[in-house]
Amino acid sequence: MIRRRTALSVTAAALLAAAPLLTACGQTAHPGAAAVVGDDRITVSQLQQQVADVRDAQRSSPQGEQLTANSARLGQDTLVRLIQYRIVEQAGKDNGVKVTRRELQRQRADVEAANGGAAAVRARFLALGIAPDQIDRALSVDLVRAKLDGKFGTARTNEILMHTSDSLHVDVNPRYGVWDGKRGTAQTALEPWLRSAATAAADRPA
């Protein structure tokens, strides 16, 4: 049985705090794509729209100036997150793991109850570069990862995610860098592959 999480999901912070997943050189990506993950194209326009959504929400925030200043790498960080979402989702599909709408709604309610309400949760996600309309997907991916951990254990799940990353042949537009499939995370060895976002939140000082 998977333990439901009530701490705020901070997937972006857990993944991106230490160093970029993308390096400065690499392959030639498909024209018009920011990245290709298996058969799925993340177009430059899709990426730009996600970044624009975040910027619009940041400008509307009372902390807008600070949020904007703290997200200089928003384009690259957003692309990294979108790639990782697809890898985790594919790993879930390959291993019979899915998240129902009811589970997602329950998780959203639990997160809001544990973190000061809906407005506070939106503000905290926005600080991580995740716009309000992107929160549900972040929580859904976190739940898939939790279920994979529950089914296989963390070490085996890490192996599955790395294998999935390799099998999808991630191809990144050189404008954004090169995907590092062996690392699969921006954290050190102590923070492997999409570590539980809720666990990361629990470890952060208040």
Side-chain angles (χ1 to χ4, degrees), residues 3-4 9 25 29 43 48 51-52 66 74 76-77 89 93 100 103-104 126 132 152-153 155 179 206:
R3 179 174 60 86
R4 281 166 43 201
S9 174
C25 59
T43 67
Q48 290 174 339
V51 170
Q66 180 180 355
L74 181 59
Q76 188 184 59
D77 290 353
E89 289 165 348
K93 291 177 183 177
T100 67
E103 287 173 326
L104 179 56
L126 189 57
F152 298 108
W179 178 254

Side-chain angles (χ1 to χ4, degrees), residues 109-133:
D110 287 347
V111 166
E112 290 175 353
N115 292 276
V121 167
R122 288 194 298 269
R124 292 183 65 182
F125 269 102
L126 189 57
L128 303 174
I130 299 175
D133 64 355

Side-chain angles (χ1 to χ4, degrees), residues 55 58 65-73 77 127:
R55 289 298 188 208
Q58 288 177 337
E65 185 174 345
Q66 180 180 355
L67 290 171
T68 301
N70 290 340
S71 57
R73 290 175 50 223
D77 290 353

Side-chain angles (χ1 to χ4, degrees), residues 30-203:
H30 298 247
V36 178
V37 185
D39 296 327
D40 188 8
R41 290 165 57 91
I42 303 171
T43 67
V44 172
S45 61
Q46 287 171 335
L47 175 61
Q48 290 174 339
Q49 183 59 58
Q50 288 236 353
V51 170
D53 288 346
V54 174
R55 289 298 188 208
D56 287 346
Q58 288 177 337
R59 284 191 287 269
S60 300
S61 168
Q63 292 79 37
E65 185 174 345
Q66 180 180 355
L67 290 171
T68 301
N70 290 340
S71 57
R73 290 175 50 223
L74 181 59
Q76 188 184 59
D77 290 353
T78 300
L79 180 58
V80 167
R81 185 164 55 249
L82 292 174
I83 293 170
Q84 291 177 324
Y85 284 178
R86 285 159 172 76
I87 291 170
V88 175
E89 289 165 348
Q90 186 62 52
K93 291 177 183 177
D94 292 345
N95 291 278
V97 170
K98 63 180 181 178
V99 173
T100 67
R101 182 172 182 81
R102 182 175 181 179
E103 287 173 326
L104 179 56
Q105 290 173 336
R106 183 180 302 169
Q107 176 73 348
R108 180 73 179 256
D110 287 347
V111 166
E112 290 175 353
N115 292 276
V121 167
R122 288 194 298 269
R124 292 183 65 182
F125 269 102
L126 189 57
L128 303 174
I130 299 175
D133 64 355
Q134 300 165 11
I135 293 174
D136 279 354
R137 189 175 186 188
L139 292 175
S140 177
V141 170
D142 194 48
L143 282 171
V144 172
R145 171 63 206 249
K147 288 190 172 188
L148 287 169
D149 282 345
K151 186 173 184 177
F152 298 108
T154 301
R156 176 58 182 152
T157 297
N158 291 339
E159 294 175 1
I160 288 170
L161 290 170
M162 286 187 283
H163 173 75
T164 303
S165 176
D166 290 342
S167 69
L168 288 173
H169 304 292
V170 179
D171 186 13
V172 174
N173 188 318
R175 171 182 175 183
Y176 301 100
V178 176
W179 178 254
D180 185 348
K182 291 184 178 180
R183 292 180 63 208
T185 180
Q187 297 284 19
T188 66
L190 295 178
E191 300 282 356
W193 255 110
L194 281 170
R195 177 176 177 264
S196 158
T199 302
D203 289 346

